[in-house]
Structures are given as C-alpha cells and as structure tokens.
Amino acid sequence: MLYHHFEQIDSTNAYLQRQQSEHDIRNWVVSADQQTAGKGMGNNGWESEVSQNLTFSLAEDMSFLPAERQFLLSQAVPLGIAEVLDGILPAGKLSIKWPNDLLFENRKLAGILINSTIKAGMMDVSIIGIGLNVNQTQFQDWPTHPISLKMITDQTYDLQPLMEQIVEHIIARVEQLKSDPTSIEQDYLKRLFRYRTWADYKVDGKVMRMMTTGIDKFGRLLLIDEEQNAHCYEIKQISFML
C-alpha cells in the first residue's frame, strides 16, 4: 500500500477521485488530520476533531466483481474494521447498521462511504472512505449519538498503527470475496444491527414496527411488518429509530 498523509484536505475520497484521472490509484491510502468537507452517506456531514480520529480513504481494484454484486464490498469493509475493533472493545456490543455504519450499543462509532467506477458491467476501482471516532470525547448532539473508542475504553490510541491494521483487515476481506463471498454475506448478517429483531422504523414520515429478515443481492433491506407483509427498501427510503 502507498500511504499519503495531509494535515488538511477537503475530503480524502474527493482527493482520490481527482487523482484517478491522472494516476493509477489502486492500493493508495490517503489520510488527513482534518477534512474541511468530509462527507457521510447521502452527503451528510461528518464531525471530526482535528488529529483525534481516523479519516482516510483507500482505493481498491474491484475488477473481479460484477457490478450487480457491488454491495458485497459494503459488507466486506465493515467486517474488516470490526475484526480490528473486536480486539479493543467489550465483546458482543459492536454491530453493523445497514448498509455499513458501525455501532457500539446503538451509538455510531464509524461510517463508510464508497465511490466506485464501473466498466462493461464489472466493478473497476472503488474508493473506500472511512471515518472512525478514536480519541475525540465531545460531539455535537447528532441523531446518531456518536461515540469514540476513548469514550468506551478510556484509552488513547495511536492513529497510524490502528489505520494500517484496519487497512490490512479490509484488504483480507476483499480478497475473500474472490473465493468465498457467501461467508462474507453470512458474517455480515451475524453482525447486522437488529437482525431478526422487532424495532421501529420511519418510512415516508410514518413510524412502522418491522423486523429485518435479510439483505437481497442488490443490498436492499428486507423486512416484514406485524401483519407479515414483506417490504424491501433502498438506502434513504427507510430510517432507523435509534
């Protein structure tokens, strides 16, 4: 991996997207002490105190994966991060909130934003942006109720080694997609937030009580309501009530 670090940048994802037209960015990792225009899913903002958290992006060659199965990458990436965090956090309290946020006891610990290019029905290069709350201890009152590793463990972490360990585990999970994608899907469901659990969701401004039953191959969330009617939602069509 080729690591690039900036004290300040607009967005690590945006930087790699700009570089892609002039360079082969595969296996690049770009990190920053501060992002001035960091983004979350759906262009939501991402709050990060300068030099206290991990804000980085890596570019992966995904040309082996059919475009219609691109959600497999959104499953593999949080699994790689979770494997590292399992060695830090209390057992059994880390989950993946669909599509790929990492939660600790219903509070957001990490977010992932993936930008991919596609060629002839196959994936090409995917830019994987990751924001992980590490040493920050004060956050605004976001609806996602952010939390950090330090808030959980009362320990301070060295960011660079932690990032390199996460990158290593993500790459291993991406490699696993080539030979055993079914295991990725199964491991994702084992960690899926509220899987097979009744909970409240908001759809078109209305609160509905439903249970998540799975994910289809396109990454859509599958649920049933209390009358056993089946529902299928794209990202942004449904909101979790936390």
Side-chain angles (χ1 to χ4, degrees):
M1 303 302 291
L2 184 61
Y3 286 85
H4 304 263
H5 182 76
F6 296 88
E7 290 185 1
Q8 186 182 85
I9 199 172
D10 56 347
S11 157
T12 55
N13 263 36
Y15 175 83
L16 280 172
Q17 287 176 295
R18 292 192 297 269
Q19 295 299 311
Q20 191 171 8
S21 62
E22 299 180 11
H23 303 280
D24 181 357
I25 63 169
R26 288 171 292 184
N27 298 321
W28 283 25
V29 179
V30 176
S31 58
D33 293 332
Q34 180 183 19
Q35 292 188 117
T36 58
K39 294 287 193 297
M41 181 68 69
N43 289 326
N44 293 322
W46 180 263
E47 178 188 357
S48 183
E49 188 177 335
V50 178
S51 301
Q52 295 303 305
N53 304 309
L54 281 177
T55 49
F56 70 98
S57 300
L58 62 150
E60 275 291 287
D61 182 357
M62 299 299 300
S63 57
F64 63 89
L65 189 67
E68 67 175 14
R69 300 307 312 279
Q70 61 185 287
F71 190 73
L72 283 167
L73 180 60
S74 287
Q75 295 173 302
V77 173
L79 286 172
I81 301 171
E83 287 169 347
V84 176
L85 299 184
D86 281 343
I88 296 173
L89 300 173
K93 297 185 178 182
L94 186 68
S95 60
I96 301 172
K97 174 178 161 290
W98 177 82
N100 51 27
D101 284 346
L102 285 167
L103 301 186
F104 181 85
E105 293 189 325
N106 295 12
R107 300 182 67 178
K108 187 168 181 177
L109 182 62
I112 298 163
L113 179 63
I114 301 175
N115 300 111
S116 299
T117 52
I118 296 171
K119 289 184 178 179
M122 300 293 288
M123 301 286 286
D124 185 27
V125 175
S126 291
I127 298 171
I128 304 161
I130 296 163
L132 172 64
N133 298 328
V134 182
N135 294 320
Q136 185 170 339
T137 57
Q138 298 291 328
F139 292 91
Q140 297 179 42
D141 188 22
W142 293 88
T144 52
H145 314 298
I147 195 169
S148 70
L149 296 181
K150 186 171 183 177
M151 291 167 67
I152 300 165
T153 67
D154 201 30
Q155 301 292 318
T156 300
Y157 298 88
D158 191 342
L159 297 180
Q160 183 71 23
L162 180 60
M163 178 179 67
E164 292 178 6
Q165 191 178 6
I166 288 171
V167 168
E168 179 182 332
H169 279 257
I170 289 173
I171 291 171
R173 280 294 190 168
V174 170
E175 284 297 309
Q176 188 181 358
L177 288 176
K178 297 177 181 179
S179 58
D180 191 14
T182 299
S183 289
I184 297 289
E185 294 173 307
Q186 292 171 345
D187 290 348
Y188 179 87
L189 286 180
K190 289 175 185 176
R191 287 191 181 265
L192 187 62
F193 180 58
R194 292 179 178 169
Y195 181 54
R196 294 287 179 184
T197 301
W198 291 101
D200 290 334
Y201 300 85
K202 185 174 286 187
V203 179
D204 294 329
K206 177 185 176 183
V207 176
M208 298 178 63
R209 190 157 187 82
M210 295 187 286
M211 179 173 70
T212 297
T213 59
I215 307 289
D216 74 8
K217 72 174 186 177
F218 302 110
R220 295 177 297 194
L221 189 66
L222 305 177
L223 307 100
I224 56 171
D225 61 28
E226 293 178 301
E227 286 73 44
Q228 300 299 304
N229 298 310
H231 300 266
C232 176
Y233 295 105
E234 303 270 5
I235 295 168
K236 294 300 178 182
Q237 289 182 331
I238 185 171
S239 300
F240 288 71
M241 307 288 286
L242 297 176

